[in-house]
Amino acid sequence: TAQSLSGASIVPDAAPERPMAMAMRQMVHELRSPLNAINGFAQLIDGQYFGPVSHRYRELARAIIADAGMLAGTFEDIDIAARLDLGSIAHSGSGSDLGEAIDHALTELEAMFIAQRASLKLLGTIDGHPIALAQADARRLVLRFIGAVAASAQAGEELECHVEQHPQAGFVRLRLQRPRAIRGMSEAALADYDGGELLEGKVTALGLGFALTLATQLAAAHGGQLVVEPDQCILNLPILYGAQDRSGAIG
């Protein structure tokens, strides 16, 4: 079921079977094999493993590799959304480093910002509080959150992301400024916004609404919250204090 962008907790349906979610997982499984084969063949061409290849064909191979990477990430998002819908979450009992997750997101989004001729300014400090997500989930959540919001940035625009520590309240907050193109949009309008043509390096091909919904569900599944305000989006992540607070990767 669709989740409000304001970030309510996920409550699985009483029925254990979700035919649509199960069908989506099966479809993703069937699509991954040919995609991996296409990607692998393109890498063979680009790497010239069987002999010299013309520059034009190597360029085409690199384009295929880039598109395959984005499709693989999109398939992963669909699979995770289906798992969340099914309520199939396994906890690894580990925490993670938010700073590392932010660094990873900025590295992954570098091509997108270059293509848009936009930038992101990180403000605040991270003093080492581990967050109650496994590192893989922290990376995925922060990447989807920043990537979804920042994908609409326009040329010359510098977005600000504030990192705030609230240890007494038990959470760390990321406050990300909304780009001009989507500032003030309602949640319904955000869900339908496609951002125009697909830019090089964009994190997901499924649109802003899907990416924000996925980030909302991932945050809620780990005790966090994503809140959409007229001029900013806020991601609250729980701080890991002890074993009773630990939450791990989706499995």
Side-chain angles (χ1 to χ4, degrees), residues 30-43:
E30 293 176 358
L31 288 173
R32 277 176 172 154
S33 294
L35 179 64
N36 289 338
I38 293 169
N39 186 38
F41 188 64
Q43 290 182 9

Side-chain angles (χ1 to χ4, degrees), residues 131-188:
I131 54 175
L133 286 80
Q135 196 69 53
D137 288 341
R139 281 184 165 199
R140 181 177 296 112
L141 176 53
V142 173
L143 176 60
R144 292 300 180 258
F145 171 65
I146 296 178
V149 178
S152 301
Q154 299 172 341
E157 192 168 3
E158 182 183 69
L159 303 180
E160 292 185 353
C161 183
H162 297 258
V163 183
E164 300 172 349
Q165 310 285 329
H166 299 275
Q168 292 184 338
F171 66 88
V172 179
R173 168 176 289 168
L174 297 182
R175 288 196 298 110
L176 179 57
Q177 179 184 3
R178 284 170 66 168
R180 289 189 296 266
I182 61 171
R183 202 166 297 165
M185 275 188 184
S186 67
E187 293 185 9

Side-chain angles (χ1 to χ4, degrees), residues 104-123:
H104 169 76
L106 296 182
T107 299
E108 292 292 310
L109 294 170
E110 183 178 4
M112 184 184 79
F113 282 114
I114 291 173
Q116 292 167 297
R117 290 175 291 156
S119 61
L120 179 69
K121 185 178 182 181
L122 195 63
L123 302 171

Side-chain angles (χ1 to χ4, degrees), residues 8 13 17 31 36 43 71 80 85 87 100 133 147 160 167 184-185 196 198 201-202 209 233:
D13 289 354
E17 293 187 359
L31 288 173
N36 289 338
Q43 290 182 9
L71 280 173
I80 290 169
D85 199 42
E100 192 277 340
L133 286 80
E160 292 185 353
M185 275 188 184
L198 193 65
K202 185 171 284 191
C233 293

Side-chain angles (χ1 to χ4, degrees), residues 46-59:
D46 182 44
Q48 303 182 92
Y49 289 102
F50 296 117
V53 178
S54 72
H55 179 69
R56 175 58 179 157
Y57 279 108
R58 291 186 69 192
E59 282 186 339

